[in-house]
Amino acid sequence: MSSHPRGQTHPPLADTPLIFIDLETTGTRATRDRITEIAALRVLDGRIVDRFESLVDPGIDIPERIATLTGIDNALVAGAPAFEDIADRFEQWLGDGWLVAHNARFDYSFLRNEFRRMGREFRRRVVCTLKLSRALDKSSHHHGLDALLTRYQLEPHPPRHRAMGDTMTLFSVWQYWSRHHCTEQIETQVLDQERRRSLPAQLDPGLLDEIPSRPGVYLFYGHNQLPLYVGKSINLRSRVLSHFNNDHRNDREMKICQQTRHLEWHETAGDLGAQLLEARLIKQLSPIYNRRLRRSAGLHTWYWPTDAQAPQLAGQKTLHEDVSGTRYGMFRSRREATQALTSIVEQQRLCPRVMGLERGKGRCFAYQIGRCAGACCDQESLESHTLRARDALESLRIRHWPWEGRVAFKEMASDREVVYHLVDHWCYLGSVEDLKAAPAVEDIAFDADTYKILTRFLVNEHEGISIIPLEE
């Protein structure tokens, strides 16, 4: 069985087994967490004809908070089969039925990842009852399983938050829908789900279903694994799907979608981790549709020595050095740097000649047309001009590294997971979950994008972010 060829008509739901399924897991991340319990019901013509139920040894520790919620702890799964021990029997039992689950993306992604660890692909047609509830009852705002039980005055099947109890409860909700909605209406909504998740055509639709609604970085690849685009979001699923939903509005989005053959994603604890990882991956991969955050080679800055009357244009080497003067701005070309300084000079009526933007002696042309306060012809003292100029450039000033050495930006995720982002002199060294695993890195180089990302977080306090100086 695997899946029907694209374009083939699916058999009606009434003629196909429906597999109502629920999983219990060690956490919420399908790529890292594991299954601890599987329960499924085979339903045909509205009747339960078979059941599948098994505890699963995840091979990793079950967190205490998960054990408290589900009642499944390390002791309970001790001696239970591992997933690979039941995989063949379970897959054969499923047959060619539609998988039916509440927030099916969660359960389906865990199953696909378990099979993937075994080197096998797992594909099934999926019905998400969470999406179905939203389609059948658009006037309601709450569609969780508990909300549906309350709305329909149904009793939950114990034990709640165990796989079989939740599977039986979901089947009760389905029976309610079958009594209050015609079969054609339900089938129409299910097939609409099938069509929507099949976009874009060249991507595995199951892969789209796995994308989590968490912060992270996503990567689009073209033919022969050519990196096309790297992006970040605090909601990976919403952002990735928005590319495909909007491809008809934007030529660039359309080109990306037409060329995308594969996608990957990396979850992060939050927005800071996503921004740092995005900048690093873009530099490493140089995707063809990322114009920003490219390698910063060739950067320029305005360097103003302490005893000088004007700044001088300096190359990227100055950004790495511990200099006595002040550095203003980071620019990707001499032209961009000159334009930025010229704009400030004009706005503040500074002298372009004193600021080194033009050569000559005596009154500058800007003074003659009233756009210079006269530092070039003693109408303004050089001391006053220097103070005004430094003040005008202050918004561009590059901050010195305020710590003696490495620091860890501690970021806490919504599920209380903690990640430490290691930085030294505006150089991002990587992220770890345990500070004891922090690597010792000698090759430290100023990175413009890391600087911009971190200074934004330093200027504006962000909930869940704290800074820990690291002693060598």
Side-chain angles (χ1 to χ4, degrees), residues 230 278-287 290 292-293:
V230 175
E278 178 197 36
R280 165 176 279 189
L281 288 175
I282 288 175
K283 289 182 179 66
Q284 290 177 349
L285 301 175
S286 297
N290 284 99
R292 298 178 58 251
L293 299 177

Side-chain angles (χ1 to χ4, degrees), residues 242-258:
S242 73
H243 280 279
F244 306 137
N245 293 336
N246 295 331
D247 61 351
H248 60 284
R249 303 178 191 171
N250 183 296
D251 288 342
R252 179 168 164 272
E253 295 283 0
M254 182 175 291
K255 290 179 181 178
I256 293 175
C257 292
Q258 289 173 341

Side-chain angles (χ1 to χ4, degrees), residues 51 57 93 106 124 144 190 206 233 275 304 312 323 403:
R51 299 169 184 248
D57 183 352
W93 183 89
F106 177 89
R124 290 295 189 279
V190 168
S233 177
Q275 291 192 42
W304 200 329
Q312 57 193 41
V323 295
W403 298 279

Side-chain angles (χ1 to χ4, degrees), residues 392-403:
L393 289 169
E394 183 62 24
S395 62
L396 297 179
R397 181 172 60 88
I398 298 176
R399 297 176 57 168
H400 290 283
W401 181 246
W403 298 279

